[in-house]
C-alpha cells in the first residue's frame, strides 16, 4: 500500500508536475492494448495456466480469494461450449452471486450463457436439454433424481464441474451426484474449484475428506504469493493511496468497552467444561466463523448446557455485530440499534449488566445529542428585569428545564470521502485540459465507491447528495418522527400516565397488561434519563409542528387556486384529501428531500452520473461492468483488493487510482490483517499437507470395482480391502419420494449399498417393502407436524394402505439426542407439549411403529435390518398407493411439480380433490384457477364448502394498510 499521512490526502495534482507525472504520460501502445482488450477477450497468464492444468488432469484447484474464480470457470466453460454431441457438462455448487458474475464474463467472451435447470423445468424439457449437451447449471436434487431415473444416463455426461468445492462433504448432494456419475462413467472428467483455503484447513484432515468425496487425487494451489500470480499482478499494479482515518474519542471509548465486554464473556465461557478454550480469543470472536466453531462444540450437548452458557454465546454474537456496526453506520442508526437491543434483550442479556456496557450506551448517546441547561439570570431569584412595583415576575420554573443540544457526530470517513471526491473532480478537469487533442479521453473513467453492505452504500449515496451534516440531520429527523409515531401509538392504546416511559432499562413500565411488550412502548427503550426522554419528546413535537407548517405553506397556493375555481375549501389544511403524496411533490430535478422521502427513493434520480456506489455483497462483476478509473474502498476487504489487481492487470497501461481507507488502530484494521494472515497460514498448511499426502490410486474411481459402496459390519467382510467392506454387493431396494432428495438420507442410503429408486409418492417418504412404509421426520418437522395435525393425516393414510407403518424420528449426528432439556420438561404433560401430542398420536394409531435414529448412517442400518426377509418394493406399485382409480400416477414429466405442490397448499384443496383441478379443461395454470367463479370452483372440487373456501381465499382483499410506504 502506498504511503499517506493519517487522515490526509496525498497530493497527486501539483502544479509543478512535468512530463514524468504518471497522470500526464499516455503511451499510444498502452492505448492500443486497451482497445484490443476492450471486448473482454484478454486472459491473464496465471488464469490460463490454471485452466490448462485442470484440462490436463482432473483435480481440486484452490485459489486465493479474489483472483477470479468466476473468470476461470468461464474459461473452462468456453472449452466445452462448442463441442456438439460430446455430452452434458453438469455445473454444480454455484450460488446466485457467482451466476450473476458469470453472465457478465460469458458475454465478454462472446459465449452463450448455459441453461439453468431447476424444479420449474418440466421433465420433457430437461431431457431435451440433456440431449443437446454442453454446459448446464443443474440443481443437485434434480441431477440426482434424473440420473437415478435414467433420464440422464451417466454415459451421456461428459463431465462434472463443482464450484465452491470446499462445501463438499460425505453427505452433501454434490458428493452424491459425483458418486452417481462415476459409478456409470469411468472416463468422464471431474473438476472442482474453490477460493476458500481457510475452509479446507478447518477441522481434522478436511482437504483429504473433500478430495475423497470429489473422487480426485490432484490438489492445485494458487496463492497470491505464487510466482506466476505475483509477476502478473505486480507488473500492472494500480496506484494505491492508503488513508488511515483516526477515530474520535467517543468512538474509541465505545470500541474499547466492546472489547472489554467480549473479554468478560470469553472468561465466562471458558468456565464451561464443554468448550475448547484454545480457540476462545477476542480476535477470533470478530469473525462469523467463531459462531460455527462454538456451535460445533456445543451442539452434541446443547440439551444439557446451562442457560447461562447459551446466553453468553448469543451475547458474543451481539457484541460482534456491535463492533461491526460502530464503524459502518452513523451515530443515530447505531443508537437506534442499541435501543432495539435494550427493548428486546434487556431482561435476558448478560452483557448489558456489566460495567462497560454503561460506557457503550452513554458514549453512543453523546455522539447524537446532549442536554444543556439554559443560562441562569444574573439577579437574585424573583428580582429580574423591572423588579419592584409594577415590575415583571420571574420566569416560571418550566423555563429552567434542560434543552436538547444536537451533536450529530458524522462518521469519521465521511469527511474524508468528500475531500477525495473533490480531489478526483479536480484531477479529471486538469487531465481533460491536457488531453484535448487525443481521440480517446484516456483516464476519464467513472468513480466507484465500495461499501460493506447495501445499508452502508445507501448512506454513502445520501452523504454524496446532501453532505455529511445534511444526511445526519435527515436521519435525526426520521428518528424523531419514529419516536413521535411510537408515542402516539402507545397513547392510542392506553391512557397516558404521569410516569409513562420512565421505567428502568430492564423494567416493564407501568402500562397495562396485554400482548407482547405489555405497557412498554418504544419510549422506554430510549437511552438516557427521564429528562432526556422528555427532551426528545419535546423536540419530536416541535419537528412535527414545523413539518405541518411547511406542508401548509407548500400547499397553500394550490388550495387558493382551487378556492378561486369554486372549491368549497379555501385552505390546504382543511382539504379532506390532505396534501398531495410525497412522490408527487418530488417531480422536480432538485436534490432537496421532501417530507417522508427516503435516501433510497432519490438514489436513482440524483446520483451523479460518473459516481457509482456498490456494496461488497452485491459486487458481482462490478469492475468489468463499470470500468472505473478511481476506486474508493470504504471498508477494507482482501478479496476485493485482489479483484482490483486482477482488473488492473486486464487493462495494462490504463491508469487506475485506488483510495484504500481504514480506521487507524481499530477493530476494522485488526479484522483485515487477521483475514490476510489466516489465508496465508491456510495456504502454508495446504502446501505442507500436499507434500506429505498419499492418495490411493483407486480414489479417482476410474478403476472398475464391483463393490465400491456397501454396508460395513456384516458377514463376509474383508478387512484388507479399505476397512472391511463386503466382497459381495448387497441388493437392497428402497423407493424414495422425490421431495426427500432435499435431505442427505438418499445419499447415505446409496453410499450404504441400497438401490435408490426415486418416485413421487402419495403416501409415506420411503417404501421398504410392499407392506412397510416409513414417514421420516426431523426434530423441527416433527414439532411442527404435531402442532398443525399434519402428521395425523399422514398416519391415517399409512395405516390404511400399509401393514407396517413406521414413524422415523431422526436426529442430526453432531447434535444432542433428545427432544428437550430434561430440566425444561413440565411435570404435568398435556396436549400443548410435544411429548403429550406424541403420546396421543401413539394411542390413536396402535399399529404405528415409532423408531428413533441417532444419525443418518444409523438410519441406513435400521432400514437394512427392517428389510430382512421382506420382499423388494417396485416403483410401479408404490406410485399407485393412495392414488384414486383412473388417475395416472406414472406420467410426471409433462406437469409442473412445484405448481402442483403450490396448488395442494391452497385452502379448500385436499389430497382427494386436487386431481379434479388438474383434470379440469379450463384450468391450465394457477392464474386460470383464480379467474373461475365460485359455482365453477364448487363444481370442480365436488364440495360446495371447499369451493367457497378456495374462492374466498383467492379473492380476499389485500391488506393495503400493511404495505410499506
Amino acid at each position: 500500500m502506498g504511503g499517506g499521512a493519517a487522515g490526509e490526502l496525498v497530493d497527486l495534482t501539483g502544479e509543478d508536475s512535468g512530463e514524468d507525472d504518471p497522470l500526464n504520460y499516455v503511451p499510444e501502445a498502452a492505448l492500443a492494448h486497451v482497445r484490443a482488450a476492450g471486448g473482454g477477450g484478454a486472459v491473464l497468464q496465471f488464469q490460463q495456466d490454471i485452466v490448462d492444468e485442470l484440462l490436463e488432469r482432473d483435480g481440486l484447484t484452490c485459489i486465493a480469494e479474489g483472483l477470479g474464480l468466476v473468470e476461470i470457470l468461464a474459461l473452462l466453460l468456453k472449452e466445452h461450449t462448442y463441442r456438439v454431441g460430446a455430452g452434458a457438462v453438469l455445473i454444480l455448487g454455484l450460488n446466485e452471486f457467482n451466476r450473476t458474475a458469470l453472465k457478465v464474463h460469458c458475454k465478454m467472451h462472446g459465449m452463450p450463457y448455459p441453461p439453468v435447470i431447476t424444479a420449474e423445468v418440466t421433465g420433457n424439457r430437461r431431457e431435451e436439454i440433456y440431449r443437446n449437451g454442453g454446459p448446464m447449471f443443474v440443481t443437485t436434487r434434480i441431477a440426482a433424481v434424473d440420473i437415478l431415473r435414467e433420464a440422464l444416463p451417466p454415459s451421456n455426461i461428459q463431465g462434472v464441474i463443482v464450484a465452491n468445492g470446499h462445501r463438499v462433504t460425505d453427505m452433501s448432494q454434490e458428493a452424491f451426484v459425483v458418486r452417481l456419475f462415476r459409478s456409470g462413467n469411468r472416463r468422464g472428467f471431474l473438476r472442482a474449484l474453490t477460493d476458500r483455503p481457510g475452509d479446507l484447513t478447518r477441522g481434522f484432515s478436511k482437504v483429504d475428506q473433500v478430495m475423497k468425496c470429489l473422487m480426485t487425487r490432484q490438489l492445485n494451489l494458487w496463492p497470491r504469493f505464487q510466482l506466476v500470480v505475483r509477476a502478473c499482478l505486480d507488473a500492472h499494479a494500480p496506484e494505491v493511496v492508503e488513508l488511515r482515518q483516526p477515530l474520535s474519542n467517543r468512538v474509541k471509548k465505545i470500541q474499547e468497552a466492546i472489547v472489554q465486554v467480549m473479554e468478560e464473556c470469553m472468561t465466562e465461557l471458558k468456565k464451561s467444561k464443554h468448550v475448547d478454550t484454545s480457540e476462545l480469543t477476542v480476535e477470533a470472536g470478530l469473525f462469523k466463523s467463531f459462531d460455527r466453531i462454538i456451535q460445533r462444540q456445543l451442539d452434541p450437548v446443547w440439551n444439557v448446557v446451562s442457560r447461562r452458557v447459551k446466553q453468553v454465546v448469543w451475547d458474543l454474537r451481539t457484541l460482534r455485530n456491535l463492533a461491526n456496526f460502530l464503524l459502518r453506520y452513523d451515530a443515530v442508526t447505531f443508537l437506534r440499534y442499541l435501543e432495539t437491543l435494550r427493548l428486546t434483550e434487556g431482561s435476558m442479556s448478560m452483557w448489558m449488566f456489566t460495567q462497560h456496557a454503561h460506557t457503550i450506551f452513554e458514549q453512543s448517546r453523546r455522539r447524537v445529542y446532549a442536554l444543556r441547561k439554559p443560562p441562569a439570570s444574573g439577579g437574585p431569584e424573583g428580582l429580574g428585569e423591572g423588579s419592584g412595583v409594577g415590575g415583571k415576575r420571574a420566569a416560571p420554573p418550566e423555563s429552567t428545564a434542560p434543552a436538547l443540544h444536537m451533536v450529530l457526530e458524522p462518521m469519521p470517513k465521511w469527511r474524508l470521502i468528500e475531500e477525495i471526491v473533490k480531489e478526483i473532480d479536480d484531477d479529471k478537469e486538469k487531465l481533460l485540459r491536457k488531453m484535448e487533442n487525443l481521440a480517446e479521453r484516456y483516464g476519464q473513467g467513472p468513480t466507484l465507491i465500495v461499501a460493506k453492505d447495501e445499508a452502508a452504500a445507501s448512506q454513502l449515496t445520501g452523504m454524496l447528495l446532501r453532505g455529511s451534516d445534511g444526511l445526519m440531520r435527515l436521519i435525526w429527523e426520521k428518528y424523531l418522527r419514529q419516536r413521535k409515531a411510537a408515542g402516539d401509538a402507545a397513547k392510542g392504546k392506553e391512557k397516558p400516565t404521569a410516569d409513562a416511559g420512565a421505567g428502568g432499562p430492564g423494567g416493564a413500565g407501568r402500562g397495562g397488561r396485554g400482548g407482547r411488550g405489555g405497557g412498554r412502548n418504544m419510549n422506554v427503550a430510549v437511552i438516557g434519563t427521564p429528562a432526556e426522554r422528555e427532551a426528545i419528546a419535546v423536540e419530536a413535537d416541535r419537528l412535527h409542528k414545523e413539518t405541518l407548517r411547511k406542508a401548509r405553506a407548500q400547499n397553500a397556493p394550490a388550495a387558493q387556486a382551487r378556492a378561486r375555481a369554486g372549491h368549497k375549501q379555501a385552505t390546504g389544511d382543511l382539504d379532506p384529501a390532505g396534501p398531495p403524496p410525497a412522490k408527487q411533490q418530488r417531480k422536480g430535478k432538485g436534490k432537496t428531500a421532501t417530507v417522508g422521502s427516503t435516501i433510497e427513493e432519490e438514489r436513482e434520480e440524483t446520483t451523479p452520473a460518473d459516481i457509482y456506489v456498490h456494496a461488497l455483497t452485491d459486487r458481482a462483476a462490478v469492475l468489468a461492468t463499470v470500468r472505473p478509473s478511481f476506486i474508493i474502498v470504504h471498508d477494507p476487504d482482501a478479496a476485493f483488493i485482489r479483484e482490483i489487481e486482477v482488473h488492473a492487470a486486464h487493462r495494462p497501461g490504463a491508469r487506475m487510482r485506488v483510495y484504500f481507507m481504514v480506521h487507524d488502530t481499530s477493530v476494522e484494521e485488526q479484522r483485515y490483517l487477521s483475514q490476510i494472515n489466516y489465508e496465508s497460514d491456510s495456504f502454508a498448511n495446504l502446501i505442507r499437507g500436499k507434500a506429505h499426502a498419499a492418495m490411493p490410486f483407486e480414489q479417482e474411481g476410474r478403476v472398475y470395482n464391483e463393490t465400491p459402496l456397501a454396508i460395513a459390519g456384516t458377514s463376509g467382510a474383508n478387512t484388507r480391502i479399505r476397512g472391511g467392506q463386503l466382497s459381495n454387493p448387497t441388493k437392497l431396494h428402497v423407493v424414495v419420494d422425490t421431495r426427500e432428495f432435499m435431505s442427505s438420507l438418499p445419499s447415505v442410503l446409496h453410499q450404504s449399498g441400497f438401490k435408490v429408486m426415486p418416485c413421487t409418492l402419495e403416501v409415506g417418504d420411503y417404501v421398504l417393502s410392499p407392506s412397510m412404509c416409513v414417514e421420516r421426520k426431523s426434530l423441527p418437522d416433527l414439532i411442527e407436524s404435531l402442532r398443525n395435525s399434519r402428521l395425523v393425516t399422514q398416519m391415517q393414510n399409512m395405516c390404511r394402505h400399509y401393514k407396517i407403518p413406521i414413524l422415523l424420528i431422526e436426529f442430526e449426528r453432531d447434535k444432542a439426542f433428545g427432544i428437550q432439556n430434561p430440566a425444561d420438561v413440565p411435570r404435568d404433560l398435556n396436549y400443548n407439549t410435544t411429548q403429550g401430542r406424541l403420546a396421543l398420536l401413539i394411542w390413536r394409531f396402535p399399529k404405528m411403529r415409532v423408531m428413533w435414529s441417532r444419525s443418518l448412517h444409523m438410519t441406513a442400518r435400521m432400514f437394512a435390518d427392517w428389510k430382512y426377509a421382506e420382499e423388494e418394493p417396485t416403483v410401479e406399485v408404490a406410485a399407485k398407493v393412495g392414488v384414486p382409480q383412473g388417475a395416472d400416477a406414472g406420467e410426471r414429466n409433462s406437469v409442473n411439480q412445484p405448481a402442483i405442490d403450490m396448488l395442494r397448499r391452497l385452502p379448500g384443496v385436499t389430497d382427494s380433490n386436487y386431481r379434479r383441478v388438474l383434470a379440469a379443461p379450463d384450468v391450465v395454470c394457477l392464474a386460470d384457477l383464480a379467474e373461475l367463479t365460485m359455482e365453477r370452483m364448487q363444481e370442480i372440487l365436488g364440495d360446495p364448502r371447499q369451493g367457497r373456501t378456495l374462492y374466498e381465499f383467492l379473492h380476499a382483499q389485500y391488506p393495503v394498510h400493511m404495505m410499506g410506504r
Side-chain angles (χ1 to χ4, degrees):
M1 292 294 179
E8 298 180 359
L9 294 178
V10 178
D11 186 11
L12 299 172
T13 60
E15 293 298 332
D16 56 346
S17 299
E19 295 295 327
D20 295 334
D21 192 346
L23 283 177
N24 301 329
Y25 178 63
V26 184
E28 289 294 334
L31 288 176
H33 184 92
V34 173
R35 295 191 191 101
V43 179
L44 299 182
Q45 181 62 40
F46 76 89
Q47 292 179 344
Q48 188 61 48
D49 292 345
I50 294 175
V51 174
D52 295 340
E53 190 176 39
L54 281 176
L55 292 177
E56 182 180 356
R57 182 178 179 182
D58 297 350
L60 170 64
T61 297
C62 178
I63 65 176
E65 190 175 5
L67 292 185
L69 175 67
V70 179
E71 298 179 34
I72 297 171
L73 181 59
L75 294 176
L76 277 176
L77 299 183
K78 191 176 181 180
E79 298 290 335
H80 304 285
T81 299
Y82 302 104
R83 298 183 181 180
V84 181
V89 178
L90 306 184
I91 308 171
L92 309 176
L94 211 62
N95 53 34
E96 192 63 29
F97 178 81
N98 298 137
R99 290 182 185 177
T100 304
L102 188 60
K103 289 182 180 179
V104 178
H105 290 289
C106 288
K107 184 177 180 180
M108 293 173 60
H109 288 280
M111 52 183 290
Y113 188 70
V116 181
I117 300 178
T118 59
E120 286 76 14
V121 183
T122 61
N124 294 333
R125 175 57 181 162
R126 293 203 303 266
E127 293 179 1
E128 180 182 354
I129 297 176
Y130 295 151
R131 287 193 299 268
N132 295 334
M136 59 190 70
F137 300 105
V138 189
T139 61
T140 54
R141 184 177 74 91
I142 296 298
V145 171
D146 287 346
I147 293 176
L148 291 172
R149 288 176 48 246
E150 296 184 356
L152 177 61
S155 58
N156 295 344
I157 301 177
Q158 184 180 354
V160 178
I161 299 177
V162 181
N164 298 313
H166 61 277
R167 300 178 181 175
V168 179
T169 61
D170 57 341
M171 292 186 296
S172 64
Q173 295 294 324
E174 290 83 3
F176 187 23
V177 175
V178 168
R179 194 163 56 247
L180 291 174
F181 162 70
R182 187 56 78 191
S183 63
N185 190 333
R186 307 284 176 175
R187 304 183 64 179
F189 63 83
L190 284 171
R191 296 159 186 163
L193 295 168
T194 181
D195 58 354
R196 300 294 182 86
D199 293 340
L200 290 178
T201 58
R202 186 175 291 116
F204 177 75
S205 187
K206 177 64 179 298
V207 65
D208 296 337
Q209 298 175 14
V210 171
M211 296 180 65
K212 183 177 180 181
C213 296
L214 291 173
M215 292 189 174
T216 181
R217 301 173 58 239
Q218 181 69 21
L219 177 62
N220 308 318
L221 302 176
W222 290 85
R224 172 62 177 84
F225 53 81
Q226 210 266 358
L227 295 180
V228 179
V229 178
R230 182 192 302 177
C232 185
L233 298 183
D234 292 348
H236 307 286
E239 178 188 0
V240 180
V241 181
E242 182 178 354
L243 302 173
R244 305 180 64 85
Q245 176 65 35
L247 300 175
S248 62
N249 293 331
R250 296 188 182 96
V251 175
K252 283 184 179 179
K253 292 179 181 179
I254 296 175
Q255 180 178 266
E256 293 173 359
I258 293 175
V259 173
Q260 291 293 333
V261 176
M262 291 184 68
E263 290 182 354
E264 294 180 6
C265 292
M266 293 289 184
T267 303
E268 185 68 26
L269 195 59
K270 290 179 181 179
K271 297 179 182 178
S272 175
K273 61 181 180 180
H274 306 294
V275 180
D276 183 11
T277 60
S278 61
E279 298 179 343
L280 296 182
T281 60
V282 176
E283 182 178 355
L286 299 177
F287 297 92
K288 290 185 178 180
S289 58
F290 179 78
D291 296 338
R292 296 195 298 266
I293 296 174
I294 297 299
Q295 201 67 31
R296 186 172 61 248
Q297 298 180 17
L298 295 179
D299 274 343
V301 292
W302 189 255
N303 61 326
V304 297
V305 174
S306 63
R307 293 185 179 180
R308 186 179 183 88
V309 175
K310 295 179 181 179
Q311 187 59 46
V312 170
V313 174
W314 285 104
D315 288 348
L316 285 173
R317 184 177 305 174
T318 302
L319 291 170
R320 187 188 68 245
N321 292 333
L322 280 179
N324 295 335
F325 296 163
L326 175 64
L327 303 178
R328 192 180 306 170
Y329 303 129
D330 61 275
V332 180
T333 304
F334 186 75
L335 182 65
R336 287 177 53 194
Y337 181 68
L338 287 176
E339 292 175 356
T340 305
L341 289 179
R342 170 171 287 185
L343 184 65
T344 57
E345 303 180 5
S347 59
M348 300 179 295
S349 178
M350 297 176 57
W351 71 270
M352 288 190 183
F353 298 96
T354 60
Q355 181 179 0
H356 298 284
H358 175 73
T359 304
I360 298 175
F361 286 92
E362 180 67 19
Q363 295 301 325
S364 300
R365 178 185 61 82
R366 292 183 179 180
R367 293 179 64 199
V368 180
Y369 62 85
L371 285 185
R372 292 183 181 179
K373 295 183 179 180
S377 59
E381 183 178 358
L383 297 176
E385 181 181 358
S387 61
V389 179
K392 296 181 180 180
R393 292 179 177 269
E398 288 78 9
S399 62
T400 60
L404 198 66
H405 173 69
M406 305 301 141
V407 178
L408 300 181
E409 178 183 295
M411 293 298 293
K413 292 182 180 180
W414 285 2
R415 306 282 190 189
L416 194 57
I417 290 181
E418 292 178 338
E419 297 178 8
I420 294 174
V421 171
K422 185 178 182 301
E423 176 185 321
I424 291 174
D425 293 339
D426 296 340
D427 289 352
K428 287 184 176 181
E429 184 177 353
K430 175 185 174 182
L431 188 60
L432 184 61
R433 291 195 303 266
K434 296 183 178 181
M435 300 177 61
E436 295 177 354
N437 299 327
L438 292 181
E440 181 175 346
R441 292 185 175 179
Y442 183 77
Q444 294 298 305
T447 300
L448 176 64
I449 303 177
V450 181
K452 187 68 175 179
D453 52 20
E454 284 291 344
S458 178
Q459 286 194 347
L460 290 179
T461 303
M463 185 270 298
L464 293 174
L465 298 177
R466 302 173 181 84
S468 301
D469 298 333
L471 177 61
M472 290 301 300
R473 184 67 185 179
L474 181 65
I475 297 175
W476 170 250
E477 291 177 356
K478 182 180 178 182
Y479 170 79
L480 292 179
R481 284 194 294 268
Q482 291 178 349
R483 300 255 56 86
K484 174 69 175 175
D488 294 343
K491 291 179 182 178
K493 293 181 180 180
E494 58 189 15
K495 296 181 179 180
T497 59
D499 297 331
R510 296 190 179 185
R513 298 179 298 175
R516 187 174 181 179
R520 295 186 65 191
N521 53 45
M522 290 296 295
N523 291 329
V524 179
V526 177
I527 299 174
T529 61
E532 294 175 351
R533 292 195 287 268
E534 181 65 25
I536 291 178
V538 172
E539 182 68 16
D541 293 337
R542 185 196 65 79
L543 177 64
H544 180 67
K545 295 177 181 178
E546 181 180 354
T547 302
L548 293 179
R549 181 180 58 81
K550 291 181 179 180
R552 294 193 196 100
Q554 186 176 4
N555 299 327
Q560 294 175 2
R562 290 195 300 269
R564 287 192 297 268
H567 199 280
K568 294 182 179 181
Q569 303 297 337
T571 56
D573 56 337
L574 296 178
D575 192 351
K583 292 184 179 180
Q584 297 181 7
Q585 301 176 12
R586 296 175 54 253
K587 289 184 178 180
K589 296 183 179 180
K591 298 182 181 180
T592 304
T594 57
V595 179
S597 63
T598 59
I599 298 173
E600 292 78 0
E601 292 176 354
E602 299 183 359
R603 182 174 180 177
E604 296 183 358
E605 295 183 8
T606 57
T607 302
D610 59 342
I611 297 180
Y612 296 85
V613 183
H614 278 269
L616 287 172
T617 56
D618 190 26
R619 67 177 191 274
V622 64
L623 294 174
T625 305
V626 177
R627 289 178 170 268
S629 295
F630 302 91
I631 302 176
I632 302 176
V633 183
H634 181 266
D635 298 300
D637 185 80
F640 185 68
I641 294 299
R642 295 198 186 100
E643 291 180 13
I644 296 175
E645 292 181 318
V646 172
H647 179 69
H650 275 296
R651 305 175 63 193
R655 300 295 187 267
M656 182 184 298
R657 184 187 302 169
V658 180
Y659 294 91
F660 181 81
M661 306 174 64
V662 64
H663 290 103
D664 192 18
T665 63
S666 64
V667 174
E668 178 186 74
E669 180 184 12
Q670 181 63 33
R671 188 188 303 111
Y672 173 72
L673 297 177
S674 300
Q675 182 182 5
I676 296 177
N677 295 333
Y678 180 69
E679 184 183 76
S680 301
D681 296 341
S682 299
F683 268 114
N685 294 333
L686 289 175
I687 293 173
R688 287 193 296 267
K690 180 181 178 180
H692 299 86
M695 302 291 180
F697 181 74
E698 62 272 11
Q699 181 168 301
E700 291 186 349
R702 297 184 183 274
V703 179
Y704 181 75
N705 185 7
E706 191 171 332
T707 61
L709 305 166
I711 300 178
T714 55
S715 60
N718 186 358
T719 57
R720 287 183 171 271
I721 303 178
R722 290 186 291 171
Q725 295 189 351
L726 289 179
S727 57
N728 295 321
T730 60
K731 297 295 183 181
L732 302 177
H733 295 189
V734 57
V735 179
V736 183
D737 188 15
T738 54
R739 291 177 288 266
E740 279 294 305
F741 280 83
M742 297 296 295
S743 66
S744 300
L745 183 56
S747 174
V748 175
L749 292 176
H750 181 269
Q751 188 179 15
S752 301
F754 284 84
K755 181 180 180 180
V756 179
M757 298 178 292
C759 176
T760 302
L761 299 178
E762 296 295 330
V763 179
D765 295 330
Y766 298 85
V767 178
L768 304 183
S769 70
S771 60
M772 186 181 300
C773 181
V774 178
E775 179 69 28
R776 188 188 69 91
K777 294 292 182 183
S778 60
L779 189 57
D781 192 16
L782 173 67
I783 297 175
E784 183 63 24
S785 300
L786 290 173
R787 182 180 294 120
N788 56 22
S789 301
R790 180 164 55 93
L791 186 57
V792 176
T793 304
Q794 293 172 342
M795 285 297 111
Q796 287 177 347
N797 295 332
M798 292 177 62
C799 294
R800 185 182 302 116
H801 296 93
Y802 288 95
K803 181 180 179 181
I804 308 176
I806 300 174
L807 173 61
L808 174 66
I809 302 176
E810 192 174 76
F811 295 81
E812 297 186 21
R813 176 177 56 181
D814 299 330
K815 292 190 176 181
F817 187 55
I819 295 180
Q820 196 174 5
N821 192 338
D824 299 335
V825 177
R827 295 183 179 179
D828 299 331
L829 294 180
N830 51 42
Y831 182 73
N832 295 326
T833 62
T834 302
Q835 292 86 345
R837 292 168 179 167
L838 186 60
L840 289 177
L841 184 70
I842 297 174
W843 174 79
R844 182 173 180 178
F845 302 102
K847 192 168 75 169
M848 178 187 67
R849 304 290 186 266
V850 180
M851 300 296 178
W852 305 79
S853 175
R854 183 66 179 84
S855 62
L856 297 176
H857 292 86
M858 182 178 179
T859 302
R861 290 193 293 269
M862 293 170 67
F863 280 10
D865 294 339
W866 296 342
K867 287 178 60 63
Y868 184 76
E870 291 283 343
E871 297 182 7
E872 297 295 343
T874 60
V875 175
E876 293 76 11
V877 176
K880 294 180 180 179
V881 174
V883 179
Q885 295 293 333
D888 187 5
E891 183 60 34
R892 300 278 181 178
N893 291 341
S894 60
V895 297
N896 190 353
Q897 190 61 38
I900 296 178
D901 296 339
M902 179 65 185
L903 173 66
R904 298 178 66 176
R905 290 182 174 91
L906 295 178
V909 180
T910 62
D911 294 339
S912 59
N913 63 14
Y914 83 94
R915 289 185 179 84
R916 299 170 63 94
V917 180
L918 297 179
D922 51 349
V923 180
V924 181
C925 59
L926 294 176
D928 295 341
L929 181 64
E931 297 177 357
L932 298 178
T933 62
M934 181 185 299
E935 293 74 12
R936 178 57 179 159
M937 285 189 184
Q938 294 174 346
E939 179 184 355
I940 292 177
L941 296 180
D943 189 340
R945 183 179 59 84
Q946 293 176 348
R948 183 175 62 254
T949 301
L950 179 60
Y951 182 84
E952 292 177 353
F953 173 78
L954 294 177
H955 294 81
Q957 185 178 4
Y958 186 79
V960 182
H961 65 279
M962 299 180 62
M963 297 179 61
R965 296 180 178 178

